């Protein structure tokens, strides 16, 4: 068919399975195992259905932006919000990566990066992680059209220190450097404090992990005012009303409830540390994680086999049949009860 000659074809991002069967244990999409903050539920109950007939406010003028600015001690003009961090990152690719030079990101990382690069026709080069799955900062200190990587990285969970990241930023001040901090709240230090020093730095975070609101789709970026204005100019040229009224309202309430946010982070970190001990005892090896997941390989049984057999126990983890990581499973940290069920299933798989 002739019309197909003009279709933009890309290999799409493939998210983790979303099984609808009741009673499963879902440890494959890095969702938070705990409910959102109580103030979120209270706000939802107070909202009137009649409000939905109205368009939402422009996001940069909302209480969500105001609360984020107060929380991070920046100006409201330094905050950009979008429909999950994927929307924010997509807009950032479209806005900032327009050079003929390739952008750089790791070979093992969030697998949406190459998809966006292909969609927007952005040249790119992947930089191999070292044998320990760590980013080599030297690989990013040559001419390029932009830099992006997660910290902690995904799916490895490995954290890079702020000092090393600053070396990359300072070596690339003629392009935009994006640090994707989706998992920073589980054991890392954010690079937000570097923003006053570097006007080319954009930090992206999300409500989907540590704030337990993946279903509401809230993401945001923090950077200097000019970067944020450029993002808004592009966004409003695509879709002015990108966030719904409920998400904007409950997002603000989630930011206010800081005690709850910190408590669930502590709980997830404690369960992660317990899980590391249990997996080690079962013969798994893994890099030290600073995220809400563990990237593990077994000394004897192949990852694909464990992945398939766990599904027979109604337990879902993440597996990629890709070079270098095809013997690893990414295991989201759930509740203690969910992890106990995982340990029990693994013992049966590994030793029966």
């Amino acid at each position: 068919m002739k019309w197909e000659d003009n279709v933009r074809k890309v290999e799409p991002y493939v998210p983790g399975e979303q099984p609808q069967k009741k009673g499963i244990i879902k440890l494959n999409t890095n969702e938070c195992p705990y409910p959102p903050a109580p103030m979120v539920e209270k706000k939802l109950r107070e909202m009137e259905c009649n409000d939905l007939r109205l368009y939402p406010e422009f996001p940069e003028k909302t209480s969500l932006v105001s609360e984020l600015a107060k929380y991070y001690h920046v100006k409201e003009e330094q905050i950009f919000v979008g429909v999950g961090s994927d929307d924010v990152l997509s807009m950032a690719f479209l806005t900032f990566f327009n050079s003929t030079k390739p952008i750089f990101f790791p070979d093992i990382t969030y697998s949406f990066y190459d998809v966006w690069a292909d969609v927007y026709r952005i040249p790119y080069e992947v930089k191999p992680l070292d044998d320990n799955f760590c980013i080599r900062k030297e690989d990013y200190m040559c001419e390029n059209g932009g830099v992006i990587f997660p910290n902690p990285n995904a799916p490895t969970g490995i954290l890079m220190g702020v000092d090393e990241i600053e070396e990359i930023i300072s070596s690339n001040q003629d392009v935009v450097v994006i640090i994707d901090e989706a998992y920073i709240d589980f054991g890392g230090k954010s690079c937000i404090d570097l923003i006053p020093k570097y006007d080319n730095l954009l930090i992206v975070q999300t409500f989907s992990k540590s704030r337990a609101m993946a279903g509401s789709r809230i993401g945001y970026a923090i950077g200097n005012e000019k970067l944020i204005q450029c993002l808004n100019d592009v966004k409003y040229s695509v879709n002015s009303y990108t966030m719904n009224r409920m998400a904007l309202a409950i997002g603000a309430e989630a930011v206010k409830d800081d005690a709850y946010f910190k408590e669930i982070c502590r709980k997830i970190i404690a369960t992660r540390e317990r899980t590391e001990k249990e997996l080690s005892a079962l013969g798994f090896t893994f890099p030290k994680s600073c995220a809400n997941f563990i990237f593990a390989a077994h000394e004897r049984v192949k990852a694909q086999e464990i992945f398939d057999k766990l599904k027979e126990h109604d337990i879902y983890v993440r597996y990629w049949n890709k070079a270098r990581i095809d013997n690893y499973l990414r295991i989201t940290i759930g509740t203690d009860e969910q992890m106990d069920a995982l340990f029990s299933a693994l013992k049966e798989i590994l030793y029966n």
Side-chain angles (χ1 to χ4, degrees), residues 3-4 16 26 42 44 61 63 69 98 136 160 175 181 201 299 303 307 333 347:
W3 59 265
E4 289 186 327
K26 192 165 174 284
K42 182 175 182 292
L44 282 170
K61 300 298 183 183
S63 59
N98 288 291
R136 293 182 289 216
M160 191 176 193
V175 298
E181 293 187 343
L201 173 61
E299 60 188 3
F307 171 75
I333 302 302
K347 288 172 185 176

Side-chain angles (χ1 to χ4, degrees), residues 217-341:
R217 310 308 299 127
I218 303 172
Y220 56 100
I222 305 175
N224 83 72
E225 294 159 75
K226 190 170 183 179
L227 283 180
I228 299 306
Q229 184 59 56
C230 290
L231 275 171
N232 277 319
D233 288 347
V234 171
K235 179 179 71 174
Y236 293 142
S237 300
V238 176
N239 183 355
S240 297
Y241 301 104
T242 55
M243 296 191 70
N244 67 70
R245 296 177 68 89
M246 287 188 292
L248 290 167
I250 64 177
E253 297 304 308
V255 179
K256 292 176 188 176
D257 207 337
D258 192 46
Y260 181 83
F261 160 67
K262 288 176 178 173
E263 176 59 25
I264 62 172
C265 286
R266 283 193 292 267
K267 289 169 71 172
I268 290 168
I269 291 168
T271 304
R272 182 187 69 206
E273 291 173 351
R274 173 173 169 255
T275 300
E276 289 172 339
K277 293 176 183 177
E278 295 284 349
L279 291 179
S280 292
L282 290 171
F284 285 91
T285 57
F286 41 84
K288 175 61 182 174
S289 175
C290 287
N292 66 336
F293 57 82
I294 295 172
F295 193 56
H298 195 263
E299 60 188 3
R300 178 174 49 84
V301 183
K302 295 292 185 183
Q304 174 83 65
E305 181 181 347
I306 297 171
F307 171 75
D308 290 335
K309 289 185 175 179
L310 280 174
K311 287 207 283 189
E312 294 174 9
H313 289 77
D314 288 334
I315 299 174
Y316 286 73
V317 296
R318 193 79 194 269
Y319 171 73
W320 291 272
N321 186 17
K322 293 183 177 181
R324 298 187 70 191
I325 62 171
D326 60 354
N327 199 36
Y328 284 81
L329 299 171
R330 192 194 68 192
I331 304 168
T332 302
I333 302 302
T335 63
D336 284 318
E337 293 76 17
Q338 288 173 326
M339 303 317 286
D340 285 339

Side-chain angles (χ1 to χ4, degrees), residues 167-216:
E167 290 185 59
I168 293 174
I169 300 165
S170 65
S171 298
N172 289 283
Q173 294 187 56
D174 58 338
V175 298
V176 173
V177 177
I178 302 173
I179 311 299
D180 182 354
E181 293 187 343
Y183 303 101
I184 198 67
D185 299 318
F186 300 109
K189 178 175 170 54
S190 174
C191 289
I192 288 173
D193 288 345
L194 296 178
I195 288 173
K197 191 173 179 181
Y198 298 100
D199 63 6
N200 63 318
L201 173 61
L202 191 74
I203 304 297
V204 178
Q205 294 193 13
T206 179
F207 281 50
S208 296
K209 316 301 181 186
S210 55
R211 294 193 184 275
M213 295 175 68
S216 61

Side-chain angles (χ1 to χ4, degrees), residues 19-35:
Q20 301 303 308
K21 183 178 177 181
K22 290 186 177 180
I24 66 160
I25 296 176
K26 192 165 174 284
L27 306 176
N28 66 333
T29 50
N30 295 341
E31 295 152 318
C32 181
Y34 302 106

